[in-house]
């Protein structure tokens, strides 16, 4: 990580959540990446794409197909009764049956690969005991990691 080689007491604390196992953070803005409910999600990087994306969220939240001038959307409001057809990942149910073509095992392996690659960028490295003891993974995944 960007603090490699420094003693723990000299590390920047503001971004340590990004490197933790099961880290959870919300981010906003162009290209910002959140990690919520085991889903890492990046917002569009180009301003025009970001504006279209946010307008789409407002339309979904309001259940309409167009915005009127000056209309403010209900994204983030306290009304959770609305049904959103394509909710952003942080609003979706991690146990819901989505149709992205990935099996549950594929998603588990993708999540584990993300953990492995992130943790290998830290001075602490990858804790294989954490993976072995984790309810999603276990010893078979540790064996697969060690086989490469």
């Amino acid at each position: 990580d960007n603090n490699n080689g420094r003693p723990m007491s000299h590390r920047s604390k503001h971004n340590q959540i990004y490197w933790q196992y099961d880290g959870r953070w919300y981010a906003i803005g162009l290209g910002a990446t959140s990690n919520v409910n085991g889903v890492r999600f990046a917002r569009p990087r180009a301003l025009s794409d970001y504006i279209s994306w946010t307008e789409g969220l407002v339309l979904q939240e309001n259940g309409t197909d167009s915005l009127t001038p000056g209309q403010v959307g209900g994204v983030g409001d306290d009304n959770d009764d609305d049904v959103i057809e394509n909710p952003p990942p942080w609003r979706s149910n991690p146990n819901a049956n989505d149709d992205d073509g990935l099996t549950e095992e594929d998603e588990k392996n993708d999540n584990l690969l993300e953990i492995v690659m992130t943790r290998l960028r830290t001075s602490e490295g990858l804790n294989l005991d954490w993976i072995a003891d984790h309810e999603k993974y276990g010893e078979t995944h540790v064996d697969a990691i060690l086989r490469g």
Side-chain angles (χ1 to χ4, degrees):
D1 61 8
N2 61 353
N3 297 297
N4 195 15
R6 294 184 184 173
M8 289 294 284
S9 61
H10 292 106
R11 281 189 169 179
S12 169
K13 293 185 174 46
H14 81 277
N15 68 351
Q16 291 303 300
I17 189 77
Y18 307 133
W19 306 99
Q20 292 177 356
Y21 294 103
D22 290 333
R24 181 180 195 161
W25 66 89
Y26 296 90
I28 56 174
L30 292 173
T33 302
S34 296
N35 190 35
V36 182
N37 297 330
V39 177
R40 188 167 284 200
F41 178 75
R43 279 117 188 106
R45 293 182 183 276
L47 182 57
S48 60
D49 294 339
Y50 186 79
I51 290 170
S52 296
W53 176 76
T54 55
E55 287 175 347
L57 291 176
V58 170
L59 295 176
Q60 289 175 5
E61 187 80 13
N62 291 335
T64 62
D65 8 351
S66 64
L67 292 174
T68 57
Q71 179 179 4
V72 177
V75 175
D77 64 16
D78 292 332
N79 183 1
D80 288 332
D81 297 334
D82 298 332
V83 175
I84 302 175
E85 289 181 28
N86 298 306
W90 66 88
R91 293 275 313 262
S92 58
N93 177 353
N95 299 319
N97 183 12
D98 53 18
D99 192 20
D100 60 6
L102 294 176
T103 66
E104 189 174 322
E105 189 66 24
D106 289 338
E107 288 183 15
K108 185 179 359 176
N109 289 336
D110 284 352
N111 290 339
L112 182 57
L113 178 60
E114 183 79 31
I115 290 167
V116 170
M117 297 307 291
T118 299
R119 293 301 303 176
L120 288 176
R121 295 179 66 193
T122 67
S123 57
E124 292 86 10
L126 180 63
N127 182 344
L128 294 176
D129 290 335
W130 181 89
I131 293 170
D133 296 338
H134 195 280
E135 64 186 40
K136 278 187 183 179
Y137 308 117
E139 289 292 337
T140 58
H141 285 84
V142 171
D143 293 341
I145 290 169
L146 292 174
R147 285 193 313 271

